[in-house]
Amino acid sequence: MSSQDAVAGSHGSAAPVALRDLLVELNDLKRVRSAGRLGSIAERLFAQGWGALTGGAAPEDVALEVTATTLAACRLCDLDSAFLSAAGLDDEAVTDVLRAGFDAVATQVAEPLRSRLRDRLGQRAGLPVGPLPGFVAALAHQPRAGVTCPGKPRILLEPPENHAEHCLMVAVYGVVLSPFYRADPTTVFLAAMAHHFHNAAMPDAGFTGEMLLGDHLAPIMARTTQWALDELQPGLREAVERARAALPDDATAEGRAFHAADAIDRVLQIAQHLRAASLTMGTVLDEMELVHAGPVKGFHDRVLEAMRIP
């Protein structure tokens, strides 16, 4: 076992496989939408996170709030605090529902992080809200490149995710993975939320485009990253710059947590397309009980049989 393996996580493993199912399921929040709300849940949580940061909230509070909210949304989707309160639930009932959603998926999150996230769902005061920097909307409108490889045509899978969705998911993954790498979750969260600043202005041509830019790549990325950083107030900008120092490599615990999260999200984004393409009616009808138990299930079954469906 190498020295790097020894510090990667417990027992020398490069990543905590016990969190796999949670990360797979969370990835779908990049594709869940609701009437009256613009964008996916992941896209909106990216904006909420930056709004809280520019509003003066402590980055640690934002990391915990956004991560806890994302985990609760894994099963509840947009049955969130705002909706539940508007629908007439009191604060205690809202907390109970959110924690039930959290508990349904978070059993493998390491302590004490799990308890800190769960406790966060009982706080109704909320975080301050500041103005959204321009890069937030720009990243939400910037599609990811798809699968690219120098010398080969790209593979496009529709609909594409956007950079806001990717950054949010990597940030949440990074927080959940941080105990395994003994990394500071706040640093990982902030670095991930800011790791595609350059793509707010720079169209994403993927690995292929980056290689074709050659020596021009680094100065272009530095310039476009600085444009986004310049939208932040000095204190927040300095905190983001410090966090982004973990991005270049895996030499630190924070770098390992970030790069693990980034690689997992990139591959799971493609895996969900393949999973959908290989879906069978056996899974839909037998395992997922699309025609589920109830007073008319027998009739439903007879109708489908008579219609020779599927």
Side-chain angles (χ1 to χ4, degrees), residues 11-262:
H11 309 299
S13 175
V17 68
L19 288 171
R20 180 189 184 280
D21 290 348
L22 171 61
L23 303 187
V24 170
E25 190 170 353
L26 281 171
N27 207 263
D28 282 337
L29 294 181
K30 293 189 286 185
R31 293 167 284 277
V32 177
R33 291 168 170 77
S34 297
R37 305 193 190 197
L38 297 177
S40 68
I41 290 177
E43 181 181 322
R44 284 183 268 121
L45 285 171
F46 179 76
Q48 289 174 33
W50 278 110
L53 288 165
T54 64
E60 180 180 16
D61 289 337
V62 179
L64 292 173
E65 178 85 12
V66 170
T67 302
T69 302
T70 304
L71 265 64
C74 195
R75 296 281 172 87
L76 289 168
C77 299
D78 273 323
L79 299 178
D80 58 9
S81 178
F83 169 79
L84 295 171
S85 296
L89 275 64
D90 61 26
D91 286 351
E92 182 178 358
V94 170
T95 296
D96 287 345
V97 171
L98 295 178
R99 286 179 173 168
F102 178 90
D103 291 342
V105 298
T107 56
Q108 296 299 324
V109 176
E111 292 287 7
L113 177 62
R114 182 182 182 278
S115 292
R116 294 180 70 198
L117 294 170
R118 194 175 190 276
D119 290 346
R120 196 83 203 181
L121 295 171
Q123 299 181 23
R124 298 274 79 80
L127 298 175
V129 179
L132 287 181
F135 64 72
V136 172
L139 288 169
H141 285 95
Q142 190 74 274
R144 301 264 293 155
V147 183
T148 69
C149 181
K152 300 178 181 178
R154 81 177 56 224
I155 300 172
L156 286 175
L157 298 169
E158 295 289 338
E161 64 178 327
N162 62 52
H163 280 271
E165 292 167 331
H166 170 66
C167 288
L168 182 282
M169 198 55 57
V170 174
V172 171
Y173 281 8
V175 171
V176 173
L177 290 166
S178 62
F180 181 83
Y181 298 100
R182 299 176 185 174
D184 174 53
T186 303
T187 299
V188 179
F189 178 86
L190 207 54
M193 290 284 279
H195 81 284
H196 273 283
F197 267 5
H198 58 285
N199 285 118
M202 181 181 179
D204 189 355
F207 185 36
T208 298
E210 291 176 354
M211 293 301 97
L212 291 173
L213 283 173
D215 292 341
H216 301 298
L217 175 64
I220 288 174
M221 287 183 64
R223 190 172 302 116
T224 51
T225 295
Q226 192 61 50
W227 292 346
L229 286 167
D230 287 344
E231 295 188 56
L232 303 175
Q233 292 298 311
L236 178 56
R237 181 173 67 244
E238 291 163 9
V240 170
E241 288 175 324
R242 285 194 300 272
R244 281 177 51 90
L247 297 178
D249 53 47
D250 63 351
T252 64
E254 289 72 30
R256 288 188 286 278
F258 164 76
H259 284 289
D262 185 47

